[in-house]
Amino acid sequence: MIFPALIFIFIFNYIPMYGVLMAFQDYSLFKGFFGSPWAGFKHFEMFFNSPDFYRVIRNTIVISLLKLVINFPAPILLALMLNEVRNMAFKKIIQTISYLPHFLSWVIVSGFTISILSVDNGSLNIMLQSLGFIDKPINFLSLPEYFWGIIITTNLWKEIGFATIVYLAAIAGVNPSLYEAASIDGASKFKQIFLITLPSITPVIVIFLILNIGSLLNAGFDDLLLLGRSPMLRDVADVIDTYAYRIGIINNRFSYAAAVGLFKAIISVGLLTMANYMARRAGTSLW
């Protein structure tokens, strides 16, 4: 039964990997893979010696760490709170409202964000002015000091519902007799959460944490490309993926883009392996 799936994965996930050869060639569309001359590690050295290298790596790591520190525990907290709600109608409404943004494309979400933060009739500027916090509208999407906060908040709003449902499903699998026994022993709700709920869903949390650490260099692409279009935001919005797209693909430097992408993939595999090793030492791992 698994054989067709393996064939599918081999054809669509492994055969295209021959494209990484491009990173070691001066690739030409007209000469192809077999006619393009080999260039060794030239494109990797160009990336490492590029004046953009430090800025791109810094932005990638900072945005990824902010997402890991803020956006990773947020759905766990929301799932724990929703689990304590006894009004099922209210619980379903909150779940639906938080889950719906997951189905919206980043084009639509970016449109909402730009509309809310707009200088002209943007609802956030109108609210801040009416409350007396600011005297004149602020162009949030052109000021670098606000950009990372906007990206983290937008990602949190879009994806918190999906992850919350996964954690709620894990919580639903906890044996109810454990809560009954704890209640008889006089354990408060907080003690039941810390002593029963959290330990029971720890394997799910660890697996998600490993996957998040493994994709630490995937700071994002669509959101950063759409919300960080302003040249004034380039110093804080340019990450590895957007840099490879802007410098490599748009400028037809395919080998350079492949080298940047391969560098990110190798580092990501190393981070995933390290996170899995640490998780295995703690008793839970992916493999």
Side-chain angles (χ1 to χ4, degrees), residues 35-287:
S36 300
W38 293 99
F41 292 94
K42 183 181 80 174
H43 300 291
F44 292 93
E45 293 174 359
M46 288 172 62
F47 176 53
F48 297 148
N49 295 325
S50 166
D52 298 322
F53 178 77
Y54 168 75
R55 177 175 56 83
V56 169
I57 296 297
R58 182 205 62 184
N59 292 341
T60 304
I61 292 175
V62 170
I63 292 174
S64 297
L65 285 178
L66 286 174
K67 287 182 178 179
L68 184 66
V69 171
I70 298 173
N71 293 6
F72 178 73
I76 300 173
L77 293 175
L78 182 59
L80 292 174
M81 289 190 291
L82 284 176
N83 187 52
E84 299 302 323
V85 174
R86 293 294 170 257
N87 187 326
M88 295 307 295
F90 176 74
K91 185 177 179 179
K92 287 182 179 179
I93 290 172
I94 296 297
Q95 281 184 259
T96 305
I97 291 174
S98 62
Y99 189 47
L100 279 178
H102 174 74
F103 296 101
L104 300 177
S105 72
W106 268 112
V107 176
I108 298 173
V109 173
S110 299
F112 285 157
T113 306
I114 292 169
S115 175
I116 291 170
L117 301 179
S118 171
V119 176
D120 301 323
N121 297 320
S123 55
L124 182 60
N125 273 311
I126 292 174
M127 184 182 72
L128 292 176
Q129 280 183 297
S130 63
L131 293 174
F133 290 121
I134 57 175
D135 297 326
K136 57 182 181 180
I138 298 174
N139 192 355
F140 291 101
L141 285 174
S142 67
L143 299 174
E145 59 265 35
Y146 295 114
F147 184 72
W148 287 346
I150 293 170
I151 283 294
I152 301 304
T153 305
T154 310
N155 272 272
L156 181 63
W157 173 74
K158 187 176 185 301
E159 299 297 342
I160 189 171
F162 179 77
T164 299
I165 286 181
V166 175
Y167 290 118
L168 279 173
I171 292 173
V174 180
N175 190 346
S177 62
L178 295 176
Y179 294 108
E180 294 171 5
S183 181
I184 292 171
D185 290 339
S188 64
K189 285 293 181 186
F190 281 107
K191 281 190 175 180
Q192 291 179 29
I193 290 172
F194 284 106
L195 298 178
I196 298 175
T197 308
L198 280 176
S200 299
I201 65 172
T202 295
V204 179
I205 295 174
V206 170
I207 288 172
F208 270 84
L209 183 61
I210 292 172
L211 294 175
N212 274 272
I213 292 175
S215 59
L216 199 60
L217 294 186
N218 290 325
F221 179 75
D222 295 345
D223 50 344
L224 293 164
L225 194 66
L226 292 167
L227 293 173
R229 288 176 298 175
S230 171
M232 289 182 287
L233 297 175
R234 187 155 295 166
D235 282 343
V236 294
D238 222 7
V239 297
I240 291 178
D241 287 331
T242 56
Y243 176 76
Y245 171 74
R246 185 169 54 82
I247 301 296
I249 304 301
I250 293 181
N251 296 338
N252 295 329
R253 297 172 63 185
F254 302 116
S255 295
Y256 188 77
V260 174
L262 184 58
F263 164 76
K264 192 195 81 168
I266 292 171
I267 299 297
S268 296
V269 170
L271 287 172
L272 180 64
T273 305
M274 182 184 68
N276 187 70
Y277 172 77
M278 293 174 66
R280 192 191 306 155
R281 296 287 299 269
T284 304
S285 63
L286 281 176
W287 68 86

